[in-house]
Structures are given as C-alpha cells and as structure tokens.
Amino acid sequence: MIKEILNKRILILDGAMGTMLQRYKFSEEDFRGERFMAWEHPLQGNNDLLSLTQPKAIAAVHRKYFAAGADIVETNTFSGTTIAMADYHMEELVYELNYESARIAKEVAQEFTENEPHKPRFVAGSIGPTNKTASMSPDVNDPGFRAVSFDELRIAYKQQVEALLDGGADILLVETIFDTLNAKAALFAIEEVKEERNIDVPIMVSGTITDASGRTLSGQTAEAFLISISHIPILSVGFNCALGAKQLVPHLEVISAKSNHFTSAHPNAGLPNAFGEYDETPEQMAAQIKEYVEKGLVNIIGGCCGTTPEHISAIAEVAKEFEPRPLKLVNV
C-alpha cells in the first residue's frame, strides 16, 4: 500500500522525538517511574525507557505529529538495542522497550487512520546506529581494535527488529547511519527475520553526512553509501541528522539521480548554535525544503534534531503543492 501512495504524493515523516520530550523537563524520578525507582544506575536521558515509564507522553508526541500532517511516525526506539542499553544496564528490557514503543505508536496511528481513512497513517520502527562502530577503532593508539563485531551487531539488531514487528511497526527505518558496516548488520538481521517469518516489510535506509566534506563518519561519499546498501530490497534511501536542510541539497541530488529507490530526507532544524540548540524556525526550514520538492528530489520528507510539530506542519504545507520524485530505473 505504501508504495502506491508514494507514487501519488510526497509522504511526511515526523520530527524529533527527543526535542519534544525535552519540553517535559523529566527528572530522574520521572524517568524511573514506580517500576524502576530502586534501579542501581542513573536513568535520566534514557528516552527509550519513557515508553515504559511515561507512555502517555510518548503517545502525546505521536499524536501531535500526526495532527501536524505526518503520514509516518517513528517509534521511540533510537537506542533500542542491547548494545546501546548497556549504558543503563538495561539489556534485558530491550524486547519490551521496542515492543511497547511500537505498540503505542501503532495505537495512535490507528486512531488517526480510523478518523481519516483517506489518509492512512504508518509506524516506522526506528533503528539507530548504536554507540559503537564496526569500521573504526575508538582507540587512537590501536587502529585495529573494534569495540563491536558484525555478529554482535546482527544479533542485537535482530532482537530489536523482532520486537518492533511484534509491536506493530509497518516499516523498518535504519537511520542516522554513520558507519555503513553497522547498517549492513541491521539490514542482514532484517533479512533474516523476513526469511524466518516469511514476510515482507518495507525498509527505509537513512545515512548521515557528518561534515562539509560530504562524507559519512566512516568516509563514504553519498554515492558510495548508496551503492553499498543497494543490494538489499529497500523502499527508500536518504539522509537525516547532522546537517540542516540547505546543506543536504547536493547530497540528495546525488542519490536522487543515481537511485532506483524512493528517496527520503529528514534534516535538522539548521545547524546547532553554541549551546547545541537549533534556531531555525518552521518558516525558515520549510522555505529550504521547498528547494527539495521544486527540484523533484524527494518522496518522503520530515525533520530530525530541533524539529517540532510546527516544523512538520510547515513542511507538509509546502510538500502538498508538489509532485513526488518519479521512480526511475537507473544504473548505479
């Protein structure tokens, strides 16, 4: 169904979950809730945990993004692997965290779909990059050292994928990819689950260009990134995070011209200021996004760090005036 819709119009992805949760100013006690009041380790900052301890807030954020015009919301699972959850000693909770996050998002999506059957809403299971990299050493004195192996990543991602699908995710979004080897482990895990369950599920892949050089952290150009993940049957490929909308244009132009897939973008609300905050207004960001749609670069558009329902609403208003990028067969 989603492929048919993508051929007809540009779909709108939601904005930043973290930016919205910061508005709540949750304390350590709020993160813990009753269930984790006696947890031996600090939990503040573990946003994924809020799906268990503050589920109403998570549902409210999803609701605001759908009301702003989003067709797709992402689950609150950016750090939902055993590898990332090790920071909080919560590896055993990974299945529950992902399952509940997907379930909450799906429940809200179904509410909106029932009210507006002509505009079905979808849930994308958010699969973040983890806090370890398989391609590079974290130790400058030992370039050959790796903090994680491909197999460890594959196993961790597989557990996350199973829980997201069980919870009701319609799409799997491997996002903020700074190391393509990590992404390959996630994609391998997804293919394993698809084969074991004899199912097909749309897969979105979104890399991140980390600086003005136009490369990912592991050194790939936009075209190299595209080539390295194109052997997998994916729904869309694109970029998110790190850069603002304006800075992403040349990289989107590359993948749009070279890709056989739908293309996506969910940039930050500009570049962070000296305090790490994002100043770009919804109007400013929408004006920049207009270049994407005027040039026919995207099929799915949303926001990353610093974006809010107001940003998404402004982007949706711009996008509805334009045709989606036509899917064309090209040689990569």
Side-chain angles (χ1 to χ4, degrees):
M1 178 202 277
I2 195 162
K3 283 184 182 177
E4 293 169 16
I5 300 172
L6 279 166
N7 281 312
K8 294 175 184 172
R9 64 183 177 90
I10 297 168
L11 288 187
I12 306 300
L13 190 64
D14 64 0
M17 172 63 77
T19 298
M20 294 299 290
L21 292 176
Q22 283 171 7
R23 293 182 173 183
Y24 286 88
K25 295 183 166 55
F26 285 132
S27 65
E28 175 72 27
E29 287 69 30
D30 294 323
F31 273 87
R32 289 173 175 267
E34 286 184 28
R35 179 173 168 186
F36 302 103
M37 195 55 73
W39 199 259
E40 293 179 4
H41 308 280
L43 296 177
Q44 192 168 11
N46 185 358
N47 281 354
D48 294 35
L49 180 62
L50 295 172
S51 294
L52 302 185
T53 57
Q54 303 291 338
K56 288 182 180 175
I58 302 301
V61 172
H62 290 319
R63 206 167 274 118
K64 284 173 183 171
Y65 278 124
F66 277 136
D71 298 286
I72 307 166
V73 297
E74 298 178 48
T75 55
N76 180 41
T77 54
F78 187 79
S79 300
T81 57
T82 50
I83 293 166
M85 279 295 140
D87 285 355
Y88 301 97
H89 303 268
M90 287 190 149
E91 296 94 323
E92 290 183 5
L93 286 167
V94 160
Y95 182 90
E96 187 183 0
L97 285 171
N98 284 279
Y99 179 88
E100 283 301 311
S101 294
R103 186 192 63 76
I104 292 166
K106 186 67 173 178
E107 204 169 85
V108 179
Q110 286 175 331
E111 276 176 34
F112 277 82
T113 299
E114 284 170 14
N115 288 334
E116 300 176 297
H118 63 282
K119 185 179 164 73
R121 304 311 212 280
F122 302 95
V123 172
S126 173
I127 300 171
T130 84
N131 48 3
K132 294 183 179 178
T133 168
S135 287
M136 296 168 285
S137 172
D139 183 355
V140 292
N141 298 311
D142 186 0
F145 174 72
R146 296 292 180 270
V148 69
S149 71
F150 183 91
D151 216 40
E152 286 167 338
L153 285 163
R154 177 189 64 80
I155 291 165
Y157 280 128
K158 188 174 181 183
Q159 185 180 11
Q160 182 177 28
V161 166
E162 289 173 333
L164 287 170
L165 292 174
D166 290 349
D170 306 296
I171 303 161
L172 294 172
L173 169 55
V174 183
E175 65 172 322
T176 323
I177 298 162
F178 59 81
D179 182 348
T180 306
L181 193 55
N182 285 39
K184 282 177 175 285
L187 293 168
F188 191 93
I190 292 169
E191 290 304 306
E192 273 193 314
V193 174
K194 282 167 59 178
E195 190 173 332
E196 287 170 9
R197 297 188 176 197
N198 194 26
I199 58 169
D200 194 19
V201 58
I203 304 166
M204 295 175 64
V205 176
S206 185
T208 188
I209 300 291
T210 52
D211 58 38
S213 72
R215 293 173 181 267
T216 65
L217 191 63
S218 54
Q220 285 187 312
T221 62
E223 186 173 358
F225 168 69
L226 172 65
I227 291 167
S228 64
I229 52 91
S230 285
H231 62 292
I232 294 285
I234 59 177
L235 176 73
S236 69
V237 62
F239 293 111
N240 73 289
C241 204
L243 302 177
K246 191 175 183 63
Q247 293 83 6
L248 262 189
V249 171
H251 313 303
L252 284 174
E253 286 177 333
V254 169
I255 60 166
S256 178
K258 303 276 186 181
S259 176
N260 300 325
H261 314 292
F262 294 110
T263 55
S264 73
H266 52 297
N268 292 345
L271 298 174
N273 62 26
F275 303 101
E277 296 169 345
Y278 296 86
D279 300 323
E280 202 161 85
T281 66
E283 294 73 28
Q284 289 170 328
M285 190 173 181
Q288 293 173 17
I289 294 291
K290 192 173 183 180
E291 185 176 357
Y292 294 8
V293 291
E294 282 178 336
K295 290 183 173 180
L297 300 179
V298 291
N299 303 97
I300 302 169
I301 184 73
C304 204
C305 304
T307 57
T308 64
E310 291 77 23
H311 288 83
I312 297 307
S313 179
I315 290 168
E317 280 299 308
V318 168
K320 74 180 184 183
E321 303 298 327
F322 292 86
E323 293 295 311
R325 166 184 166 273
L327 202 58
K328 54 201 172 201
L329 292 175
V330 295
N331 293 318
V332 177

